[in-house]
């Protein structure tokens, strides 16, 4: 039972240090390994394995909030940084493909004539595209494009289909994996991942002790 | 939650106290598990300090210059166990501990002095 508790602690330490710089990662893992060894050798002497196993697990669980905070304080490994950069571009590509998809969906269904709404939508699209070129604020303009495509070119039925496809995890693709069926959710997760691993360490803010 | 500037957290004070008492006792270096054990015995706690809490605080104190650390040289000991990271309190650490303790005491005294004004006397 003690071995299992120690294995859980080791697994957790491996997991939360996975994205950290090699020296920091190695240090944390070795320090906790040494600590575990001391506790395990002490528990063998005490002869109360279930109680010691519970104590080891509790030490791990109670420290999880600090472990998570430490993840934000320590430097991230270069591999993770480059992976995060790749993720950011992949997420952006998914969002752009989604916009093109809905744009084509609207065109395929109603061509260029969707009444007054269609004209308003086309004007909005043109203004959005122009402001995209002028301001270079691509993400914001991409959002405007997406919204205007939804509410202008596409009718409510197509809109519902599109929303289902974009946001509902078990969407039209019928994927067995909940997330992969929803491109925008996937893009959101990838974007959060990239933000997390491209952060800068924040330890100086956490320790405002005067020099 | 932002920390009050110049004040150590309880766990940081406990670590520095343990390291200082070890230093005064003639063995200035101590490892993580020993620190956790000593904190547990001095505070009469039921559990050892959690791994995350302890090692994060140790890392923070080291970054602030209140502790120094090194890996022990196990080859000379001839033991087959993982190497320990040994911590030692610095002068800055002793000073910070003394300041924080006096700050805590002053705060406690001022709270006691305020009790009659609040009608708790």
């Amino acid at each position: 039972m003690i071995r299992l508790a120690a294995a859980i602690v080791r697994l957790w330490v491996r997991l939360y240090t996975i994205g950290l710089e090699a020296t920091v990662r190695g240090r944390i893992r070795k320090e906790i390994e040494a600590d575990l060894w001391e506790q395990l050798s002490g528990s063998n002497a005490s002869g109360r394995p279930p109680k010691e196993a519970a104590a080891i697990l509790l030490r791990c669980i109670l420290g999880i909030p600090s472990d998570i905070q430490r993840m934000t304080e320590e430097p991230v490994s270069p591999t993770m940084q480059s992976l995060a950069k790749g993720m950011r571009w992949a997420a952006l590509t998914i969002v752009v493909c989604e916009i093109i998809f809905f744009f084509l969906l609207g065109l395929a269904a109603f061509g260029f004539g969707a009444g007054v709404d269609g004209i308003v939508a086309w004007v909005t699209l043109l203004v959005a595209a122009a402001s995209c070129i002028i301001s270079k604020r691509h993400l914001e303009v991409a959002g405007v494009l997406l919204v205007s495509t939804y509410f202008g070119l596409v009718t409510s039925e197509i809109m519902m289909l599109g929303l289902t496809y974009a946001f509902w995890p078990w969407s039209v693709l019928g994927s067995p994996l909940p997330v992969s069926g929803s491109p925008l959710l996937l893009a959101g997760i990838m974007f959060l991942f990239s933000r997390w691993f491209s952060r800068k360490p924040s330890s100086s803010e956490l320790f405002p002790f005067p020099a | 939650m932002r920390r009050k500037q110049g004040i150590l957290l309880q766990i940081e004070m406990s670590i520095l106290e343990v390291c200082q008492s070890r230093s005064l006792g003639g063995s200035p270096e101590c490892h993580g598990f020993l620190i956790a054990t000593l904190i547990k015995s001095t505070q009469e706690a039921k559990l050892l300090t959690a791994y995350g809490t302890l090692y994060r605080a140790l890392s923070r104190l080291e970054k602030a210059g209140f502790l120094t650390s090194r890996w022990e040289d196990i080859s000379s000991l001839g033991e087959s166990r993982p190497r320990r990271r040994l911590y030692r309190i610095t002068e800055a650490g002793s000073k910070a501990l003394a300041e924080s303790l006096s700050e805590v005491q002053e705060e406690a005294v001022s709270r006691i002095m305020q009790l009659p004004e609040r009608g708790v006397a």
Side-chain angles (χ1 to χ4, degrees):
Chain A
M1 197 179 268
I2 283 188
R3 300 276 164 211
L4 179 68
I8 291 169
V9 175
R10 284 191 193 104
L11 181 69
W12 166 245
V13 175
R14 281 189 173 276
L15 273 177
Y16 88 80
T17 54
I18 215 163
L20 302 181
E21 202 179 51
T23 47
V24 179
R25 185 174 63 225
R27 179 178 161 169
I28 294 172
R29 288 180 183 179
K30 281 177 193 166
E31 257 194 308
I32 293 177
E33 185 57 43
D35 189 312
L36 263 177
W37 188 91
E38 304 279 351
Q39 198 166 2
L40 287 173
S41 53
S43 68
N44 288 340
S46 75
R48 288 177 298 177
K51 200 180 169 187
E52 283 297 328
I56 289 171
L57 275 181
L58 263 176
R59 272 189 89 189
C60 179
I61 291 163
L62 294 174
I64 287 175
S66 291
D67 291 333
I68 292 168
Q69 281 177 310
R70 194 168 184 188
M71 281 166 74
T72 65
E73 294 167 14
E74 302 291 357
V76 174
S77 73
T79 317
M80 274 295 171
Q81 278 176 348
S82 60
L83 187 64
K85 202 175 174 184
M87 281 275 194
R88 191 160 56 240
W89 280 108
L92 197 66
T93 308
I94 289 174
V95 172
V96 170
C97 288
E98 281 291 291
I99 294 165
I100 294 168
F101 172 78
F102 287 118
F103 184 74
L104 293 176
L105 197 70
L107 277 184
F110 298 102
F112 292 93
V116 180
D117 289 347
I119 294 163
V120 171
W122 275 109
V123 171
T124 316
L125 279 170
L126 286 173
V127 171
S131 60
C132 176
I133 295 161
I134 294 162
S135 67
K136 293 181 181 173
R137 295 178 76 84
H138 304 100
L139 273 177
E140 289 86 338
V141 178
V144 173
L145 281 168
L146 187 65
V147 171
S148 59
T149 313
Y150 266 159
F151 291 99
L153 290 175
V154 183
T155 65
S156 58
E157 282 171 37
I158 303 265
M159 194 162 75
M160 284 314 292
L161 182 70
L163 280 171
T164 310
Y165 170 73
F167 292 108
W168 187 244
W170 297 273
S171 67
V172 285
L173 294 181
S175 165
L177 293 170
V179 173
S180 66
S182 176
L184 287 186
L185 272 182
L186 184 63
I189 290 165
M190 288 162 86
F191 190 68
L192 285 177
F193 177 90
S194 77
R195 284 293 294 250
W196 177 262
F197 283 106
S198 53
R199 72 191 186 274
K200 288 190 169 60
S202 61
S203 57
S204 57
E205 287 174 24
L206 290 165
F207 202 80
F209 217 91
Chain B
M1 191 178 78
R2 286 194 73 83
R3 300 177 54 166
K4 193 178 171 188
Q5 195 163 4
I7 293 288
L8 293 167
L9 298 179
Q10 182 58 51
I11 178 71
E12 293 162 350
M13 278 201 276
S14 303
I15 290 170
L16 289 178
E17 275 178 319
V18 162
C19 289
Q20 192 164 42
S21 66
R22 291 273 302 171
S23 182
L24 293 171
S27 41
E29 290 184 312
C30 43
H31 55 93
F33 182 73
L34 180 64
I35 294 171
T37 314
L38 291 172
I39 290 175
K40 186 190 168 193
S41 63
T42 52
Q43 296 182 350
E44 294 176 6
K46 285 185 179 174
L47 279 173
L48 292 169
T49 314
Y51 300 112
T53 315
L54 176 69
Y55 291 104
R56 181 169 168 246
L58 282 169
S59 155
R60 219 165 36 213
L61 289 169
E62 194 180 353
K63 281 177 188 166
F66 298 159
L67 290 176
T68 55
S69 74
R70 67 173 180 94
W71 286 111
E72 72 173 344
D73 184 15
I74 202 168
S75 59
S76 61
L77 300 170
E79 290 184 37
S80 57
R81 58 170 172 78
R83 281 189 306 162
R84 294 162 175 166
R85 185 91 187 167
L86 301 171
Y87 292 89
R88 179 195 286 255
I89 192 166
T90 62
E91 263 184 51
S94 299
K95 198 180 158 200
L97 177 64
E99 281 173 12
S100 287
L101 285 174
S102 69
E103 186 90 17
V104 168
Q105 278 173 349
E106 276 172 28
E107 207 169 300
V109 169
S110 70
R111 275 187 192 170
I112 291 166
M113 299 292 277
Q114 282 171 0
L115 284 179
E117 289 170 23
R118 290 178 186 168
V120 192

